[in-house]
Amino acid sequence: MFQSLARLSPDSILGLMAQYRADTAPNKVDLGVGVYRDVAGNTPVLRCVRQAEQAVIYNQNTKSYVAPGGREEFNMRVEELVLGNTPGLTQQRYRTAQTPGGSGALRVGAELIRLSAPTATVYVSNPSWANHPALLGSSGLKLESYPYYDPAAHVLKFIETLEYLDQARVGDVVLLHACCHNPTGADWSLSQWQQVLDLLKHRQLIPFIDLAYQGFGRGLNEDVEGLRLIFAALPEALVAVSFSKNLGLYRERVGALIVQCEDSNRAEAVHSHVLKVARSIYSMPPDHGAAIAALVMGDATLKEDWVVELNSMRTRIEDMRALLTRHLNEATASTKFDFIKSQRGMFSLLGVSSKIVDQLRQRHVYMTADSRMNLAGIMPHNVAYVAESISICDS
Ligand code: LMR
């Protein structure tokens, strides 16, 4: 049966993680997989998470099933956090299902789109997260990429984005990154979001928004301004939410899919399909991380502490952006890397060839082949080495 299956090459991001782990050089630097690291190089369990976790364990009196849509209180807190007071709330036009991470939400969302509109094309930004095509395309949907960013010039291709999407057919779907665009770190301004919204409205396109870094860009509310604009104005929209980064719950797989519909009855009907899709793929999402997240979001003291911790993670990355830019400018006697300090979130694209990325790996500096750097891998003790390596390899 399995004779036809040839061995695959490793996933581009996870394969790099394995290569990094196997490297025994003491000066190795991990700018690969998108996990937050503190100045000591650790990916910490947040204080608020530790406290909530103890309470969850203490109060838990059963391990029985929850439901295909997960915990109700978690779903309610996610809606508050992501959508605030958008009109869909009072009109009961959206429903939320807890999912195994943001990836689970993307996959369930893709299945839902395929059920409702099997011939729709899903437009994915070029570039985008390396796993987007697999998560969305494995549902059988047709994917196409739209121009988003010029890695050589380090600028958004905003006019091209609008022109390209203006060719989409009514009912096609556009995958948008809510903030901290992965892999570029280049986000739209609010006025650009408004222009995208006008286009979606005019062409009757459906936004599917990936929200994996809420709080890592400018702040918990600021990072969803564009998303809220869209949800307030359009009858239908989807958002895949992840708590891997902002709560540091990576391995617990905590996420949610919110689907907004034209009215409450439609939202109920659509939700029944979401639950059926979930049931047919994984039956029910894992509970532990969602119980922790619900408690952190629902308890005023824990939430306050979360915001403090989140702000400090964001500030650390911003500081490293500024520090790396300064070292690169000094090492190359130029200002060509200035773009790094003004971008947002974990990633920036260095904008060099895969050959240069390979040369950097020879120097034990690891980034993905498209030259995506995770800025949280930069630390005061390694920044000079990284800047010197980039300057040598790129000369
Ligand atoms: C990344 O982009 O590196 C992260 O989202 C981790 C992953 O699963 O790819």
Side-chain angles (χ1 to χ4, degrees):
M1 175 182 186
F2 299 122
Q3 284 74 10
S4 63
L5 297 182
R7 188 179 177 150
L8 297 173
S9 46
D11 172 274
S12 60
I13 296 175
L14 306 184
L16 189 70
M17 228 168 123
Q19 275 185 42
Y20 175 80
R21 278 187 187 148
D23 187 338
T24 52
N27 60 340
K28 65 180 178 177
V29 183
D30 184 8
L31 307 181
V33 67
V35 296
Y36 174 78
R37 292 185 199 288
D38 61 19
V39 270
N42 300 317
T43 303
V45 179
L46 299 189
R47 261 188 327 265
C48 60
V49 166
R50 269 192 202 285
Q51 273 191 38
E53 188 163 39
Q54 277 167 15
V56 164
I57 290 170
Y58 184 78
N59 292 317
Q60 195 169 59
N61 48 25
T62 180
K63 293 279 186 194
S64 178
Y65 293 124
V66 182
R71 291 190 160 246
E72 273 315 307
E73 72 270 30
F74 169 82
N75 293 333
M76 196 181 80
R77 297 297 173 199
V78 174
E79 290 175 0
E80 285 167 6
L81 186 81
V82 173
L83 295 172
N85 288 323
T86 47
L89 176 67
T90 41
Q91 297 159 0
Q92 303 191 320
R93 288 200 291 120
Y94 47 75
R95 298 285 183 280
T96 303
Q98 181 196 319
T99 54
S103 298
L106 286 163
R107 181 59 201 271
V108 172
E111 293 292 336
L112 181 71
I113 293 164
R114 196 184 52 83
L115 275 174
S116 338
T119 59
T121 298
V122 181
Y123 288 84
V124 179
S125 68
N126 179 17
S128 200
W129 178 38
N131 205 23
H132 273 148
L135 280 170
L136 302 170
S138 52
S139 64
L141 283 165
K142 180 171 169 249
L143 306 185
E144 204 172 303
S145 39
Y146 64 88
Y148 182 82
Y149 181 80
D150 181 343
H154 315 294
V155 289
L156 286 167
K157 289 181 167 177
F158 191 63
I159 304 292
E160 289 95 320
T161 303
L162 294 182
E163 282 173 0
Y164 199 88
L165 292 177
D166 204 23
Q167 313 296 319
R169 289 171 312 153
V170 169
D172 280 344
V173 177
V174 188
L175 185 76
L176 306 169
H177 297 227
C179 60
C180 309
H181 185 273
N182 181 1
T184 69
D187 288 342
W188 290 328
S189 66
L190 201 53
S191 80
Q192 287 172 320
W193 274 97
Q194 182 62 54
Q195 291 177 67
V196 171
L197 166 61
D198 293 343
L199 178 108
L200 296 173
K201 213 193 262 179
H202 171 66
R203 301 291 309 169
Q204 296 180 49
L205 306 175
I206 314 296
F208 189 178
I209 307 181
D210 189 354
L211 176 60
Y213 297 91
Q214 187 177 0
F216 269 71
R218 290 182 300 131
L220 277 176
N221 284 315
E222 294 82 349
D223 288 348
V224 284
E225 281 174 356
L227 179 153
R228 287 181 183 172
L229 207 62
I230 293 218
F231 266 73
L234 293 184
E236 296 182 337
L238 301 89
V239 53
V241 188
S242 166
F243 289 94
S244 293
K245 330 282 164 157
N246 59 10
L247 270 172
L249 284 169
Y250 307 87
R251 63 175 66 170
E252 302 293 355
R253 311 312 296 138
V254 188
L257 176 70
I258 307 177
V259 185
Q260 174 163 280
C261 301
E262 62 205 345
D263 61 39
S264 175
N265 284 341
R266 182 68 57 209
E268 256 328 291
V270 168
H271 191 57
S272 69
H273 286 273
V274 168
L275 299 184
K276 189 163 177 223
V277 168
R279 179 81 171 136
S280 69
I281 305 181
Y282 50 79
S283 188
M284 304 192 203
D287 177 62
H288 185 68
I292 295 168
L295 196 52
V296 173
M297 288 187 276
D299 178 286
T301 314
L302 289 176
K303 171 119 188 246
E304 211 172 293
D305 201 28
W306 178 35
V307 173
V308 171
E309 295 187 276
L310 194 50
N311 289 349
S312 88
M313 290 196 278
R314 183 176 65 246
T315 308
R316 194 189 103 64
I317 296 173
E318 283 166 2
D319 289 349
M320 291 306 104
R321 284 184 176 280
L323 190 64
L324 179 62
T325 305
R326 185 158 62 75
H327 277 266
L328 278 169
N329 286 351
E330 278 166 20
T332 60
S334 76
T335 52
K336 70 176 183 176
F337 293 103
D338 264 357
F339 68 95
I340 294 172
K341 70 170 180 241
S342 56
Q343 294 178 334
R344 302 265 174 208
M346 275 189 179
F347 307 115
S348 278
L349 275 183
L350 195 53
V352 299
S353 67
S354 58
K355 195 164 151 234
I356 293 178
V357 170
D358 284 344
Q359 287 167 7
L360 285 164
R361 209 167 299 162
Q362 303 298 314
R363 293 180 60 90
H364 314 284
V365 176
Y366 288 76
M367 61 184 71
T368 52
D370 56 356
S371 74
R372 186 191 78 169
M373 300 180 293
N374 172 11
L375 277 305
I378 300 284
M379 283 140 220
H381 75 265
N382 67 23
V383 64
Y385 179 70
V386 171
E388 182 200 333
S389 300
I390 291 173
S391 149
I392 291 171
C393 298
D394 189 33
S395 60

